[in-house]
Amino acid sequence: IQVAEWSGVPFSELKEVFLRGRPRVKAFEPQLLLPNLSFDLLATIEAHAMDWPELKVVVQPRRYYPQGGMLSHVLGYVAQANEEELNRDPSLALGDTVGKQGLEVILERTLRGVKGHLQVEVDVVGRNLNRTILAQPEPGNDIMLSIDLDLQALAARQMEDKTGSVIVLDPFSGKLRAFVSKPGYDNNKFVMGIRPDDWRDLVNDPGHPLQNRSIQSAYPPGSVFKLVVGGAALAKGDLDPKRRVFCPGQYRVGNRVFRCWKREGHGHMDFEQAMVQSCDVYFYQLAERVGAEEISAFAKASGFGERTGIELPHERAGLIPDRDWKRRRFGAPWTGGDTLNFAIGQGYTLTTPMQNARFIGALLNGGVLFKPTLLEDAVPLEQGRLRLNETQRKLLLRTMVETVEGARGTAQRLRTKDVVVGGKTGTAQVVKLTEEFEKKPLAEIPYRFRDHAWLASFAQQGERAYVIVAMVEHGGSGGATAGPMIKAILDYLFPQPPK
């Protein structure tokens, strides 16, 4: 009762903590009742130490995250072990902290050391007579992350007022140099038990800050997926890059009309022109020739529709649909319209930013799908290979470079002197806009109706190479929204000499 009065914590709550923990603590051992004491509460307890000799203040080490929200989705957090965790691991004691999210939970055994054992002899009144160390404590292992903190901070600033993800990846090792999901959260609040008000604020936040959007959110990839469709056509041998297709601005299948993003049409397009200008009609017809099953098989072999295996919990696999999936899910056959939506990264297709970064990395490094890793000393792990030969890969890379360097490319703002930069923009439709909003500026369209903005890119100068993928929820155009963000990252990675 006295502790409840001092602390302001309800007596019923303290009693519940005491009764729940009592069976786990020997009679002569202290039981943790109230963690994370304020200085004022500590002073009050110490001032009354003579009145309450059974009440002890125990000093425990406490995890502190100096970067806070900037690395919250990478590191995660620790918190007191719950009943299930205590039952599962006999080495844990009441009040111990364990990893709950991020690297903290995945590398829990690596980071946590081994407790020492101390034998204490006491007399009948509890005075210490002798102490013997039975086993020395062993510290946990240090972990070196692959993250560049300055780059991480820059990427986080670029996403400051946005919702989404930015990933910077070394394509030749799979090591992540920046891994940002916004909004983030302050992981320090969890260390000694998060306050109920803080927890309610987090779970009720419409931005869902606990969600790691780089791996836990799957989105329609939009036109970024045209690289996969083009790859499937090349792998099948059903693509003549010089063959021209006429785009009048729309394409009819049965009684439905599928439009190109450019209403007036692109005119005659070959493969490279269609990729650079992101012509939908060209890819509608290409997907019909290749077939949805072939595209689906190529996408899955390219790492989509499966988890990347990064050292973080709760990763989503995304979705690469096919005829069997639709029949199981909806009890309906695959249609021609499904194939056309598939061709431009819409419809049922869902991918994560991490999957797209791994795929672009494979295009750049010779075709190897490396496991993404946050650990600097991790040995590169090959997970698969693209079904493309060198000529086919280089063709796709050339279209990405032309998308940046070409006069009509959709990612021209990424141009960087003396650096080979390639990109593919994507605008993923969330809902079909009514005529009321269709021609309005982005700022006048309700937020929840705005398209997602994608930009997948790479940059290479000599032996240095990076993959940079940005996805902004409801950001509108990939080039306009994600482009300036990636350009700021390129300027950091490849600084230009002063004029």
Side-chain angles (χ1 to χ4, degrees):
I1 295 174
Q2 184 62 72
V3 175
E5 290 179 2
W6 284 337
S7 65
V9 178
F11 171 72
S12 58
E13 191 174 313
L14 290 174
K15 183 179 179 181
E16 181 184 348
V17 171
F18 176 79
L19 294 176
R20 187 171 65 244
R22 191 67 248 166
R24 295 186 175 277
V25 180
K26 296 181 175 63
F28 53 85
E29 291 179 340
Q31 179 185 349
L32 185 66
L33 190 63
L34 190 64
N36 201 24
L37 302 183
S38 67
F39 180 80
D40 289 343
L41 181 54
L42 173 63
T44 299
I45 294 173
E46 292 289 6
H48 293 83
M50 296 293 292
D51 302 324
W52 299 90
E54 297 88 358
L55 207 56
K56 304 291 183 184
V57 175
V58 179
V59 178
Q60 289 184 318
R62 174 179 175 178
R63 185 80 95 225
Y64 172 63
Y65 303 104
Q67 290 82 23
M70 190 178 85
L71 286 175
S72 56
H73 289 105
V74 173
L75 300 179
Y77 57 86
V78 295
Q80 284 193 38
N82 58 33
E83 197 76 15
E84 180 183 345
E85 289 159 338
L86 290 169
N87 289 332
R88 190 167 59 237
D89 188 344
S91 70
L92 291 174
L94 197 67
D96 283 352
T97 58
V98 295
K100 299 283 189 173
Q101 279 294 343
L103 286 173
E104 289 279 21
V105 66
I106 296 297
L107 301 178
E108 161 71 20
R109 293 286 184 177
T110 302
L111 293 167
R112 182 166 25 118
V114 179
K115 295 176 181 178
H117 293 282
L118 179 68
Q119 178 177 286
V120 181
E121 295 180 29
V122 299
D123 61 17
V124 291
V125 294
R127 290 176 297 195
N128 290 345
L129 300 178
N130 188 36
R131 293 185 170 210
T132 304
I133 297 175
L134 301 180
Q136 290 285 357
E138 298 177 18
N141 295 307
D142 292 335
I143 297 297
M144 179 69 72
L145 299 188
S146 60
I147 296 293
D148 175 335
L149 270 183
D150 290 336
L151 178 60
Q152 180 82 2
L154 171 63
R157 286 196 300 273
Q158 295 304 309
M159 284 290 297
E160 193 61 44
D161 59 346
K162 303 175 181 69
T163 297
S165 165
V166 178
I167 291 171
V168 182
L169 175 78
D170 179 341
F172 296 102
S173 66
K175 293 177 183 177
L176 289 152
R177 303 308 181 192
F179 188 82
V180 173
S181 175
K182 284 287 186 175
Y185 61 94
D186 185 0
N187 40 6
N188 290 296
K189 291 183 176 181
F190 288 88
V191 174
M192 298 303 289
I194 189 167
R195 295 169 50 206
D197 289 349
D198 289 336
W199 176 249
R200 277 194 297 272
D201 289 344
L202 278 174
V203 297
N204 293 327
D205 188 324
H208 304 292
L210 295 173
Q211 184 87 357
N212 185 341
R213 286 169 164 81
S214 296
I215 61 167
Q216 292 176 353
S217 296
Y219 309 88
S223 291
V224 173
F225 198 69
K226 289 172 182 173
L227 290 166
V228 178
V229 176
L234 289 167
K236 186 182 179 184
D238 200 10
L239 172 60
D240 176 1
K242 295 182 180 180
R243 180 177 183 270
R244 292 165 69 82
V245 169
F246 181 72
C247 168
Q250 62 182 33
Y251 187 66
R252 181 178 292 276
V253 173
N255 60 357
R256 292 184 64 189
V257 174
F258 290 79
R259 295 185 306 199
C260 184
W261 69 266
K262 189 175 184 180
R263 292 298 188 87
E264 65 273 25
H266 288 92
H268 286 92
M269 296 267 106
D270 63 17
F271 176 69
E272 187 168 323
Q273 293 169 331
M275 190 72 81
V276 169
Q277 298 184 47
S278 206
C279 175
D280 293 334
V281 169
Y282 181 97
F283 281 90
Y284 291 153
Q285 296 188 42
L286 182 62
E288 283 188 324
R289 290 203 310 274
V290 177
E293 294 302 300
E294 201 74 34
I295 296 171
S296 180
F298 180 84
K300 290 174 181 176
S302 301
F304 295 98
E306 64 177 24
R307 297 176 180 87
T308 67
I310 186 174
E311 308 94 348
L312 292 173
H314 315 305
E315 182 181 11
R316 286 188 65 183
L319 175 63
I320 298 299
D322 56 26
R323 297 178 187 280
D324 290 340
W325 172 85
K326 187 180 180 186
R327 191 174 292 108
R328 292 194 307 270
R329 177 68 177 81
F330 297 106
W334 189 270
T335 67
D338 292 330
T339 299
L340 268 57
N341 281 325
F342 199 16
I344 60 170
Q346 294 283 173
Y348 306 116
T349 312
L350 296 172
T351 67
T352 67
M354 189 71 259
Q355 290 170 335
N356 283 281
R358 179 174 61 172
F359 174 70
I360 301 299
L363 287 178
L364 195 59
N365 67 25
V368 180
L369 292 161
F370 282 116
K371 174 186 174 181
T373 180
L374 289 157
L375 306 180
E376 181 61 30
D377 61 352
V379 177
L381 177 61
E382 181 178 326
Q383 296 176 311
R385 285 184 174 266
L386 300 182
R387 297 176 178 175
L388 297 171
N389 61 36
E390 186 176 5
T391 301
Q392 294 164 341
R393 272 194 317 99
K394 287 184 175 180
L395 173 58
L396 291 177
L397 290 174
R398 189 167 70 244
T399 67
M400 293 181 71
V401 172
E402 189 62 21
T403 300
V404 174
E405 298 294 340
R408 297 188 178 184
T410 56
Q412 295 178 38
R413 66 182 68 229
L414 300 188
R415 291 175 182 171
T416 304
K417 187 178 179 182
D418 298 327
V419 181
V420 178
V421 181
K424 186 71 192 82
T425 57
T427 302
Q429 190 179 70
V430 176
V431 295
K432 183 175 176 58
L433 294 178
T434 61
E435 292 186 7
E436 176 189 0
F437 298 115
E438 210 166 27
K439 297 182 180 180
K440 286 190 174 182
L442 183 67
E444 296 181 23
I445 300 173
Y447 179 78
R448 67 184 186 279
F449 295 158
R450 299 175 190 174
D451 297 337
H452 297 323
W454 283 93
L455 181 46
S457 68
F458 70 85
Q460 190 164 22
Q461 185 184 62
E463 295 183 355
R464 293 177 62 215
Y466 300 93
V467 171
I468 311 169
V469 172
M471 199 293 305
V472 182
E473 286 187 11
H474 307 292
S477 164
T481 303
M485 297 164 54
I486 291 185
K487 182 63 171 99
I489 292 172
L490 288 173
D491 290 343
Y492 168 85
L493 293 171
F494 304 97
Q496 300 296 307
K499 294 181 180 179

